Amino acid sequence: MSAVASPIAVERIHWWQSRTLRRFMRHRLALIGLAMIVILTFACVCGPWLLPYDELYIDIRARFASPMTGAHIFGTDPLGRDIAARLFMAGRISLLVGFFAMLLSTAIGTVIGITAGYYGGRLGAALMRFVDAFLSFPSIFLLLVLAAFIKPSPFMITVIIAVTSWMEIARIVEAEIRSLRERDFVMAARMLGLRDTKIMFRELLPNAIGPIIVAATLTVARAILLEAYVSFLGYGIQPPLPSWGNMLNGAQQYLDRAPWLAIVPGVAITLAVTSFNFIGDGLRDALDARSDID
């Protein structure tokens, strides 16, 4: 059998891609969210190089400078450090933590979910009871407990968030695989003698990729929010390394004197989380063929 896809298969792939893209492009909130994430990412990557101060430069004479004061477009903090420089550097950390936590939690949840959904029986039941056991504890509680006993760093915070965020993805994947495992193409693959791992990851997983992509996108937003939460409480990224969460932590005692210290990182967190949620909603609608009204 030739390894080259038939013209009909290629045509169907292009049709699916074009229809899915068209449905996504009709989702205005998703496009706004995508544009906002692009702008935030560009600002966080390039912003520190374009500013006259870095995130650690201290100018005591410029303490509590209000926004749009000279070169300090977002003002300064109690030590005279530039808020814009710290915001963009913190954005690098928060976005990277969110992205890599999503990758790790998606990998964990997908492996557990596809194994439970494909094999079913006692193994599937045991794995899903394991998932339920994790879900029975509040994620914030698990996150804080782990963070309290592990030396905080961007890498460890990423791992901790991933370890407490994979359960929903596992349930989604398990349900999708359980609904697909008795389809004709799976039966045909078994008759051809393919190994279980090939059936699971080459045949079943591509057919369940839509819900996984949507869940992964929403997981980025959740991871950013969790990192900000745990850093705000003092268990996450530690100063002088900035993150949006510890910037909020340092601003709480100056709310009446310098409210911009909390407003600026708060707005950044809100924009990032809301934008990823909008993208997730758009992907969900785009990957659902029933939403196509053409």
Side-chain angles (χ1 to χ4, degrees), residues 64 67 248 251 254-266:
F64 294 111
L248 284 175
Y254 303 107
L255 289 177
D256 56 341
R257 181 179 179 183
W260 60 86
L261 296 178
I263 292 174
V264 171

Side-chain angles (χ1 to χ4, degrees), residues 181-220:
R181 66 185 180 188
E182 301 302 331
R183 297 285 182 88
D184 291 342
F185 69 92
V186 178
M187 303 300 292
R190 288 172 180 163
M191 292 178 63
L192 290 173
L194 294 182
R195 295 194 302 270
D196 288 345
T197 53
K198 286 189 175 181
I199 296 175
M200 288 191 296
F201 292 100
R202 291 189 180 182
E203 303 295 333
L204 287 171
L205 185 58
N207 286 279
I209 200 67
I212 296 174
I213 292 175
V214 175
T217 304
L218 299 177
T219 301
V220 178

